[in-house]
Amino acid sequence: MDTSEFFAPLRATTDDGAGADGSAAPRTGVAETEPAEDGKSAAKITANAVDNANADATAGKQDVAKPERTPVWIDLLSPTSDEIHDIEQRFGIEVPTREEMQEIELSSRLYDEDGALFMTVSVLTRATTDAPQTAAVTFILVKKTLITLRYADPVPFKTFIRRVKKTPSLANSAETVMFGLLEQIVDRLADLMEQTATDLENLSNQVFANPEGPGSDQDHRETLRQIGRTGNLSGKAKDSLLNLHRLGLFLSTQTRLKKDAKARLKVISRDIVSITEHANFIANKVTFLLDATLGMISLEQNNIIKIFSVAAAAFLPPTLIASIYGMNFEVMPELGWEFGYPVAIGLMILSAVLPLWYFKRKGWL
């Protein structure tokens, strides 16, 4: 559980370090990232709040109280009930519960409550593992502060926090932070779709490779597993893109957004549409490769059954001959014949070879 607060950098300072209003200029602290015990990296900002610089230690000077600055972004990662209660009291809002964040109704995910915008989207996590997942993330835009509530640590959040540390101007306002996060999420989805398309191309080469070649996968088990993982990833990516598209439509109706913010939102929405089309192509490619792989498996099974059928037909005449001469009846002309045994063996061999030759000529073998 980590609560991180980000403040907008000061716009102007004087040569002696004082702010434009004559007060001491605050400094932005250093953000630290510490790995959690469960393997997840929790972006833990330990000193990102503004540090009130010590006034000049001059005798007789009185410390001047400075007004508390409002953070532009508060990031709640797996918060406790006390932390949520503190945020509710501080901003006069009702933070949705974890169960409410999982609801799929549009009215439960995107709504305006007393001037505060509540927007919940599904963000793709653990995309590079065999079990990709989506996690609900809630954006709360209240006054001049953006509050993000999440119970997972997706890569876009880690990346954006590192970018804010290097470039504090990315956190000039709550809207800037929100659009920066949305752009980071969309960029991550675009990279995943590009990598998925490359993986599918390699899978396609495996499926249609020469069965006797060095790279062929005769039983197709690994190919089916990779196709299933790719289909699962593309499906969850499409779910995340759908949520982002709905969020974009919701924000486009808000009059509080300025002209430049709406222009930025339009670019994000255009990117979402293009990535969704690419995700649809990947989904169709996954379906095609799955059908092709199952078809290859069926062909191989038919070939195996055909071989057994041919073998059974080829060895049926020798079995018949051996059965006849194994009866040991008294009155059988060949029993007393000197060449009876070699002739019987020859008949069995000939009766097996002739069907095999016939099947080979017909192209059944």
Side-chain angles (χ1 to χ4, degrees):
M1 54 190 132
D2 297 293
T3 300
S4 307
E5 296 190 6
F6 299 82
F7 295 86
L10 292 183
R11 296 184 179 179
T13 56
T14 59
D15 294 338
D16 59 354
D21 57 353
S23 60
R27 298 170 300 172
T28 302
V30 180
E32 299 178 356
T33 303
E34 299 179 357
E37 295 181 357
D38 57 355
K40 296 180 181 176
S41 177
K44 196 169 184 180
I45 311 301
T46 57
N48 214 347
V50 176
D51 179 19
N52 291 326
N54 293 329
D56 221 18
T58 309
K61 279 191 177 181
Q62 264 189 334
D63 292 338
V64 179
K66 304 181 184 68
E68 182 182 357
R69 295 178 64 196
T70 302
V72 296
W73 179 26
I74 298 178
D75 185 26
L76 301 175
L77 174 58
S78 299
T80 63
S81 57
D82 292 336
E83 291 174 333
I84 293 178
H85 180 71
D86 178 67
I87 292 295
E88 291 178 339
Q89 294 294 324
R90 184 175 174 184
F91 292 94
I93 59 175
E94 184 177 349
V95 177
T97 63
R98 191 169 187 177
E99 291 75 17
E100 292 173 343
M101 293 171 60
Q102 302 297 331
E103 295 180 359
I104 62 174
E105 295 91 346
L106 193 61
S107 59
S108 301
R109 286 184 164 241
L110 305 170
Y111 58 94
D112 185 344
E113 189 175 87
D114 297 332
L117 302 181
F118 292 79
M119 298 159 286
T120 302
V121 295
S122 297
V123 180
L124 192 62
T125 62
R126 303 180 62 185
T128 57
T129 66
D130 290 336
Q133 298 177 355
T134 54
V137 177
T138 298
F139 296 85
I140 305 174
L141 194 59
V142 49
K143 297 180 181 178
K144 297 182 179 181
T145 302
L146 173 69
I147 303 172
T148 53
L149 174 63
R150 55 196 176 100
Y151 293 90
D153 199 13
V155 173
F157 277 81
K158 300 177 185 178
T159 305
F160 187 74
I161 288 174
R162 287 196 298 267
R163 291 179 59 198
V164 169
K165 290 191 306 183
K166 296 179 181 179
T167 312
S169 60
L170 294 175
N172 279 333
S173 64
E175 288 83 2
T176 304
V177 173
M178 181 178 63
F179 288 125
L181 285 171
L182 293 177
E183 289 172 348
Q184 202 68 54
I185 294 172
V186 172
D187 289 344
R188 174 64 174 171
L189 289 173
D191 294 340
L192 290 174
M193 291 299 98
E194 291 176 1
Q195 183 61 43
T196 302
T198 303
D199 295 341
L200 283 177
E201 190 65 28
N202 296 331
L203 286 175
S204 179
N205 295 332
Q206 291 181 14
V207 171
F208 298 105
N210 185 0
E212 299 178 357
S216 64
D217 183 13
Q218 288 286 341
D219 58 1
H220 298 288
R221 293 181 183 178
E222 182 62 22
T223 302
L224 283 174
R225 191 188 69 81
Q226 293 180 10
I227 291 176
R229 179 196 173 277
T230 304
N232 187 24
L233 178 62
S234 63
K236 293 186 181 301
K238 287 178 64 177
D239 176 59
S240 181
L241 289 167
L242 176 61
N243 281 262
L244 291 171
H245 180 66
R246 290 175 174 176
L247 185 145
L249 294 177
F250 176 75
L251 284 176
S252 64
T253 61
Q254 302 301 317
T255 57
R256 61 185 293 179
L257 294 181
K258 298 180 180 179
K259 185 177 181 180
D260 55 345
K262 288 194 174 182
R264 193 173 179 182
L265 177 62
K266 189 176 181 180
V267 174
I268 295 175
S269 300
R270 192 182 303 120
D271 291 340
I272 292 173
V273 172
S274 63
I275 299 173
T276 302
E277 293 176 354
H278 194 64
N280 291 331
F281 163 76
I282 289 176
N284 295 332
K285 187 74 175 289
V286 167
T287 303
F288 167 72
L289 285 180
L290 181 60
D291 293 340
T293 304
L294 295 177
M296 291 292 182
I297 294 174
S298 298
L299 286 176
E300 292 176 2
Q301 290 177 345
N302 291 337
N303 289 333
I304 294 173
I305 294 174
K306 182 175 67 175
I307 291 173
F308 278 106
S309 301
V310 169
F315 287 103
L316 182 59
T319 304
L320 178 61
I321 296 173
S323 301
I324 292 174
Y325 282 94
M327 294 180 184
N328 293 323
F329 284 113
E330 236 180 89
V331 184
M332 288 185 73
E334 295 83 1
L335 290 179
W337 186 28
E338 181 181 357
F339 300 102
Y341 180 71
V343 170
I345 295 296
L347 284 175
M348 285 188 283
I349 294 174
L350 184 62
S351 63
V353 171
L354 285 177
L356 291 176
W357 171 79
Y358 179 77
F359 293 150
K360 184 74 175 178
R361 185 178 178 183
K362 287 289 187 180
W364 297 347
L365 289 178

